[in-house]
């Protein structure tokens, strides 16, 4: 935890481990776009329900928050719950592994995509050759 001046205001940085520790029955902290939100008092008021917020507690809720397509009102509301920012050293840890796995998965499926038509074409060519050679 440390304070740093940014645009004249001091920003409180939290380590990932500290944020995870806040995840208890008493309090709920979530991370959206590297900002840390204390949504403990908001849980019951959240129109999307308290459960979805609890599920993200102590971790990165950026993807879920963006997927919902929250209104600008919701974003302004969220700004009132900011308690600080994720420590810059911990930001790389927030990268979801599924994102880096996305490309190999696409490559595997494109490989099978051309293999089946190629085998079918080879089979048809073979049949054609057999058929024409029998006629001669
Ligand atoms: C500080 C954080 C958050 C605030 C202030 C907030 C606020 C709101 C508000 C005001 C709405 C009403 C619709 C709108 O205005 O867009 C809403 C809807 C919703 N929120 Fe959040 N939200 C937060 C975080 C999250 C997170 C992390 C999730 C998902 C894990 C989530 C899931 C939803 C869902 C599913 C709805 C839709 C409810 C419906 O239309 O039936 N929200 N939220």
């Amino acid at each position: 935890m440390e304070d740093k001046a940014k645009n004249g205001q001091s920003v409180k940085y939290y380590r990932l481990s500290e944020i995870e520790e806040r995840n208890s029955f008493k309090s709920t902290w979530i991370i959206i776009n590297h900002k840390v939100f204390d949504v403990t008092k908001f849980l019951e008021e959240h129109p999307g329900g308290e459960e979805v917020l609890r599920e993200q507690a102590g971790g990165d809720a950026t993807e879920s928050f963006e997927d919902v397509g929250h209104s600008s009102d919701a974003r302004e509301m969220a700004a009132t719950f900011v308690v600080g920012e994720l420590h810059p050293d911990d930001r790389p840890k927030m990268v979801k592994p599924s994102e880096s796995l996305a490309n190999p998965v696409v490559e595997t499926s494109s490989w099978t995509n051309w293999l089946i038509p190629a085998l079918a074409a080879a089979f048809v060519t073979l049949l054609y050759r057999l058929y024409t050679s029998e006629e001669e």
Side-chain angles (χ1 to χ4, degrees):
M1 223 190 291
E2 64 190 83
D3 288 335
K4 266 192 190 170
K6 189 181 166 189
N7 304 331
Q9 287 179 317
S10 67
V11 178
K12 199 161 197 174
Y13 285 110
Y14 290 96
R15 302 301 303 222
L16 202 51
S17 55
E18 289 177 277
I19 299 162
E20 283 163 2
E21 279 166 20
R22 311 279 171 160
N23 178 14
S24 70
F25 66 94
K26 270 193 253 161
S27 69
T28 306
W29 284 30
I30 56 173
I31 306 161
I32 300 170
N33 291 322
H34 300 145
K35 287 201 170 72
V36 182
F37 298 81
D38 179 357
V39 290
T40 313
K41 294 198 174 80
F42 178 63
L43 288 176
E44 286 177 15
E45 292 164 39
H46 182 223
E50 126 177 31
E51 197 51 41
V52 287
L53 291 181
R54 281 195 197 276
E55 275 167 17
Q56 308 295 323
D60 186 12
T62 311
E63 213 177 293
S64 333
F65 184 82
E66 298 300 345
D67 281 355
V68 172
H70 280 93
S71 65
S72 49
D73 274 359
R75 283 162 203 275
E76 278 171 30
M77 197 184 281
T80 64
F81 301 116
V82 176
V83 289
E85 288 186 20
L86 182 62
H87 195 284
D89 288 354
D90 281 346
R91 290 180 190 187
K93 294 183 198 163
M94 296 265 67
V95 177
K96 298 228 163 160
S98 56
E99 281 171 28
S100 51
L101 284 173
N103 287 338
V105 170
V106 170
E107 275 168 26
T108 316
S109 66
S110 66
W111 180 78
T112 49
N113 279 355
W114 66 256
L115 182 71
I116 292 163
L119 284 176
F123 184 66
V124 169
T125 312
L126 195 72
L127 280 183
Y128 179 75
R129 290 240 174 124
L130 277 174
Y131 179 74
T132 49
S133 65
E134 269 172 21
E135 268 188 357
E136 280 164 18

